[in-house]
Amino acid sequence: MTQLRPGEHMAAEISEQPGILAGLVERRSGIAEVAEKISQKPPRFALLAARGSSDHGALYAKYLIEVLLGLPAGLVSPSTATLYGARPDLRDVLFITVSQSGGSPDLIEVTEAARRQGALTVSVTNTPDSPLRAASELGVDIGAGVEKAVAATKTYSATLMALYLFIDAIRGGKGEDAEKIGELAQQTLDGAVEGVQRAVDRYRFVDRVLTTGRGYSYASALEASLKLAETSYLAARAYSGADLLHGPVAAVDGETAVLAATSLGRGGEAMREVLEAVGERGADVLAIGSAADDVPAALRIPVAPTVEELAPVLEILPIQRIALGLSLARGGNPDNPRGLLKVTKTR
């Protein structure tokens, strides 16, 4: 039996993403059918439940719902239902549960509770025959295929893509801005090769990393922090660019590496002040995104430009490659990080 090289699964799954994203766009009519059922009876507001990488996808969806649909949206704490037995009135509420595996007991239980309390429940999962899908009234299949590496890559970007297409369809959109997303993803991966290698060489011995972004890209900062922590065992911490300036910037110095998601749009423009502030304190800044060339940074990895709300789908791609490269450079195996399982079951 041939023994796999460390990181072989993760590398392959990163490379699969352009095709997966393009396939989702091609199949968007199925997602639109689910969205149509919601449009027939518009909700008062939306709630989202998730864990891990899916939680960052849920945060991304929160921005989409508030900006594109004009609805209040919030991230729920599943433990209020699973541990404390809270049963709020959820009539006329859209309740979206995001889970790649669809197998975490707390997410299943909170979805069942929300449905009993009157919410319209929708699961967004990579496992359409999962217990979570059975617990929810409607389901969106992200269709990423089996993911063998413990660290989520293709399921994460596919989750973002599915959420965008879903929420865009609720507002009556046809996914026009996502038509070329597969091509843009391939362009981003191909164009980032040298920049990713420079970043790996530059940061392989770093001990402390801050990740930051604003708006839609805050989800990218959170996912970057998780990827670096779980694959390279780095002490990584994510902050909204606004929150970073509200106190944590005091801890930034010349020993701090800052990974910043900076894409074209209002969120990226708001990051300029943040990066100027951390640069003044001596931080080594890596800017990743379609606005990377326009912000103060020591190292830049440009990303193919797109509408701002789709930027997180692309800017996460070189971040995943950096996490992979750093893990290997530091002697790890990102396919099987220590102490982690593919499906984490919590309550």
Side-chain angles (χ1 to χ4, degrees):
M1 183 176 178
T2 303
Q3 186 172 4
L4 295 176
R5 298 185 303 275
E8 190 166 337
H9 285 316
M10 186 175 178
E13 288 161 1
I14 291 173
S15 297
E16 290 175 27
Q17 292 175 98
I20 291 169
L21 296 172
L24 264 168
V25 175
E26 291 173 1
R27 300 190 307 275
R28 64 183 179 272
S29 60
I31 296 175
E33 289 175 5
V34 179
E36 175 60 26
K37 295 177 182 178
I38 293 163
S39 301
Q40 290 172 0
K41 188 180 179 182
R44 291 185 292 128
F45 59 90
L47 293 174
L48 300 112
R51 295 288 192 194
S53 286
S54 293
D55 199 33
H56 307 152
L59 176 65
Y60 168 70
K62 179 179 184 294
Y63 275 88
L64 290 174
I65 291 168
E66 292 182 343
V67 177
L68 302 186
L69 301 184
L71 291 176
L75 303 178
V76 306
S77 300
S79 61
T80 60
T82 62
L83 299 184
Y84 297 98
R87 297 293 184 266
D89 181 356
L90 298 180
R91 287 173 293 179
D92 300 322
V93 172
L94 174 61
F95 193 98
I96 304 171
T97 308
V98 187
S99 172
Q100 291 147 13
S101 70
S104 187
D106 54 351
L107 295 179
I108 297 165
E109 186 175 340
V110 74
T111 302
E112 292 172 337
R115 188 171 180 176
R116 287 194 297 268
Q117 294 304 112
L120 175 56
T121 53
V122 181
S123 62
V124 179
T125 178
N126 194 44
T127 314
D129 59 351
S130 64
L132 175 62
R133 176 62 189 93
S136 56
E137 293 170 75
L138 302 172
V140 172
D141 179 11
I142 71 172
V146 176
E147 190 172 56
K148 296 180 179 179
V150 170
T153 53
K154 64 179 183 177
T155 54
Y156 179 72
S157 62
T159 295
L160 299 188
M161 191 73 255
L163 286 165
Y164 171 80
L165 292 170
F166 176 54
I167 293 164
D168 178 62
I170 293 175
R171 67 168 175 171
K174 305 296 183 183
E176 297 94 336
D177 289 328
E179 287 283 356
K180 303 294 185 181
I181 197 70
E183 296 175 24
L184 295 175
Q186 191 63 60
Q187 179 182 329
T188 295
L189 285 172
D190 292 344
V193 172
E194 292 184 8
V196 166
Q197 188 57 56
R198 288 197 298 270
V200 170
D201 293 341
R202 190 180 188 99
Y203 301 118
R204 64 178 297 182
F205 298 113
V206 75
D207 293 319
R208 187 158 49 110
V209 179
L210 296 183
T211 63
T212 183
R214 288 204 65 178
Y216 298 108
S217 293
Y218 181 33
S220 300
L222 289 163
E223 180 64 8
S225 177
L226 174 59
K227 282 293 161 287
L228 293 172
E230 68 182 354
T231 61
S232 299
Y233 317 134
L234 280 166
R237 181 71 183 268
Y239 292 99
S240 155
D243 288 334
L244 183 56
L245 294 183
H246 273 264
V249 70
V252 173
D253 57 26
E255 300 299 314
T256 308
V258 175
L259 187 159
T262 55
S263 288
L264 295 170
R266 296 182 183 182
E269 182 59 33
M271 285 298 297
R272 185 180 300 277
E273 177 188 5
V274 178
L275 298 186
E276 289 173 351
V278 297
E280 289 171 359
R281 301 190 63 84
D284 195 280
V285 177
L286 166 61
I288 298 176
S290 53
D293 286 336
D294 300 322
V295 297
L299 185 61
R300 300 176 176 86
I301 301 179
V303 168
T306 185
V307 293
E308 184 177 7
E309 54 265 31
L310 280 172
V313 179
L314 299 178
E315 64 198 11
I316 199 61
L317 304 179
I319 291 172
Q320 293 170 348
R321 282 257 176 93
I322 290 170
L324 167 65
L326 282 175
S327 177
L328 296 175
R330 294 162 71 95
N333 181 2
D335 287 343
N336 293 290
R338 65 193 183 204
L340 296 181
L341 298 173
K342 187 61 181 170
V343 179
T344 303
K345 295 186 176 182
T346 53
R347 188 174 185 275

